[in-house]
Structures are given as C-alpha cells and as structure tokens.
Amino acid sequence: MGDPAGHGQHPYHGVPANALPLTASEDRQWATLAHFGGILGCVPALLIYLIFKDRGPFTAQESKEALNFTLPPTIAAIVANLLVFIPVVGNLFAVLATVIWIAVTCFSVAAGIHVNRGQPHRYEFNLRWIK
C-alpha cells in the first residue's frame, strides 16, 4: 500500500484500463441511446460522444449528429425557461420552451428508431457545429 501520510504511490495503483472497442450491437445500442437521449437535451449525446467516440465508429458518428442537433434547442429552451420570469410575456416563453421540447423529442425518437435499425441518420435541419 501507499505511504500512510498520503505521499508517494496511491493505494489503488495498477495498469490503466484500456477500453475495448464496442461490438457491433453495442455500437448500435449506444448510437441509438445518443439519439433517444435528446428527450433530455444535449447532455446524454455529449456524454456518449465523449465516452464512446473512440470505441465505436457508428456511435461516434451518431452521437456527434445527435449532439449537433440537440445543442441549439437545448440552449434555446434554457433561455426560454429563464425568460419565463418576465412579467406579462413570461407565458409565451413557457409555451416556446414546451414546443421546443416536444419538437426535439419527436425528432430524437424518430432518429433513434432509424439508428436502432443500423442505418445512419441525418437530421434535415442541423447546424453541425462539432465536426
């Protein structure tokens, strides 16, 4: 074990874990989840992209597509939700945030179903900020 004073070698030393490549079914599964995660905004696609981008080509491609699609509406929904507190017009922003969420949910579920069949999906309207 390491030095009891906390200096030197850490008590949990060992060989760094090298992540194995995803199998074809795992690759499709994580790619699908990246799109379905759009229901919760851009965070699921971002996490899947960062964790699995080097482990599966289909997951890398589809999580990036999902992230690029969900990032702008997530930002817009956050802004709309903050503007809800403005007197008189706040209700309009509440409706706008709800419409954004419904639209992203519908497109994300449709894309997830498409990707789950093993076919790549491209959103028709996508800024593709992340290359």
Side-chain angles (χ1 to χ4, degrees):
M1 284 239 167
D3 184 355
H7 304 292
Q9 193 174 19
H10 192 277
Y12 301 107
H13 63 88
V15 179
N18 290 333
L20 295 173
L22 297 173
T23 64
S25 65
E26 290 171 335
D27 202 13
R28 191 177 72 237
Q29 172 191 348
W30 285 110
T32 301
L33 289 174
H35 285 286
F36 282 149
I39 295 168
L40 303 174
C42 66
V43 174
L46 174 63
L47 291 175
I48 290 170
Y49 178 71
L50 292 175
I51 294 169
F52 294 106
K53 68 179 177 180
D54 297 326
R55 295 182 56 199
F58 193 54
T59 298
Q61 170 187 312
E62 294 304 317
S63 62
K64 185 171 22 173
E65 182 73 9
L67 177 58
N68 277 319
F69 176 73
T70 57
L71 186 58
T74 300
I75 293 168
I78 289 170
V79 170
N81 278 303
L82 291 173
L83 295 174
V84 163
F85 299 106
I86 297 175
V88 181
V89 295
N91 289 337
L92 295 174
F93 289 110
V95 170
L96 178 62
T98 303
V99 168
I100 290 170
W101 179 75
I102 290 171
V104 169
T105 297
C106 291
F107 285 116
S108 295
V109 168
I113 292 169
H114 191 82
V115 168
N116 192 45
R117 293 180 183 140
Q119 303 165 350
H121 183 78
R122 292 293 164 257
Y123 293 96
E124 190 172 333
F125 304 104
N126 200 346
L127 297 177
R128 293 185 179 84
W129 289 346
I130 299 163
K131 302 288 180 193

